[in-house]
Amino acid sequence: AAEVDVELVLLADVTGSIDVEEARFQRQGYAEALTDPRVLDAIRNTLTGAVAITYVEWAAANAQDVVVPWTIITGPDSATAFAEVLLAAPRRAYGRNAIGAALLKGKELIESNDIQGLTRVIDFSGDSANNFNGPSVALAREAVLAAGITINGLAILCRGCSGSSSGGDLARRFEREIIGGPGAFVVTAETRDTFAEAVRRKLILEISGEIPNPVVAER
């Protein structure tokens, strides 16, 4: 098995509240963050100098699409190749929120790959904490944590975005209901301008293994 510091599943929300334009800017934000020199520095300074990442768009219980398969990133070339695949792929997942199914998909992807990570993380993003179909969030979260996988969160508040916001204190719901594991945390993104920065900051924390405060706000 290939050895890396982190196995990281990026679970990106493309449910009904996320329109085509918003799904596109989410991908752009991740592409910009993954190729950012500060993220690449964090990868270079890990024990193995490598991380493994896959990008999955989630929606309904039967709609989790692996947009970019597991890719080992060691520097600018592999990061750029990942970003190019991410930006070129069509959107294929649609439907109402199935957070529990998305978390279990992340667990399955981690447990079925041929990669050995020092840490294993599901990076869940969404603009709602509601679950309308599929397994419950609580049961899925319990299964993921029992497998030794950490869940971090990116709460998309979407103020000024083209889609709709779930409203309420989304970060607190993520903290109570979704994230878990050693050093788990939530980052929030409120606008297009802060999205890529929120992703960048979260990736650096996950790759470096730093433990932030329980909720890290990007405003």
Side-chain angles (χ1 to χ4, degrees), residues 60-62 64 97-105 130-141:
N62 61 348
Q64 299 98 34
N97 296 30
I99 295 173
L103 293 176
L104 291 176
K105 179 66 173 181
N130 296 324
N131 195 62
F132 297 110
N133 57 90
S136 74
V137 178
L139 289 177
R141 178 180 180 274

Side-chain angles (χ1 to χ4, degrees), residues 15-175:
T15 54
S17 59
I18 304 292
D19 65 19
V20 173
E21 185 178 352
E22 195 170 346
R24 187 182 301 116
F25 98 73
Q26 284 188 86
R27 289 191 186 189
Q28 185 65 48
Y30 277 99
E32 290 177 8
L34 283 167
T35 55
D36 188 289
R38 291 163 290 185
V39 172
L40 296 175
D41 283 344
I43 295 172
R44 184 165 49 248
N45 290 326
T46 61
L47 184 64
T48 64
V51 298
I53 302 178
T54 181
Y55 189 96
V56 181
E57 289 182 333
W58 67 272
N62 61 348
Q64 299 98 34
D65 179 43
V66 179
V67 180
V68 187
W70 284 110
T71 303
I72 295 178
I73 296 180
T74 57
D77 291 345
S78 48
T80 298
F82 186 104
E84 289 175 349
V85 174
L86 175 60
L87 295 175
R91 175 178 174 172
R92 289 180 288 256
Y94 296 89
R96 300 191 76 190
N97 296 30
I99 295 173
L103 293 176
L104 291 176
K105 179 66 173 181
K107 175 178 178 288
E108 173 196 329
L109 289 169
I110 288 174
E111 294 182 330
S112 64
N113 66 26
D114 57 354
I115 300 165
Q116 183 64 48
L118 301 179
T119 59
R120 306 187 299 173
V121 179
I122 291 174
D123 187 336
F124 176 87
S125 71
D127 70 349
S128 170
N130 296 324
N131 195 62
F132 297 110
N133 57 90
S136 74
V137 178
L139 289 177
R141 178 180 180 274
E142 182 180 0
V144 170
L145 299 185
I149 300 169
T150 295
I151 306 169
N152 293 327
L154 171 59
I156 304 173
L157 306 186
C158 289
R159 294 175 184 171
C161 300
S162 55
S164 60
S165 171
S166 62
D169 194 343
L170 187 60
R172 288 192 180 278
R173 287 198 64 190
F174 269 42
E175 185 180 7

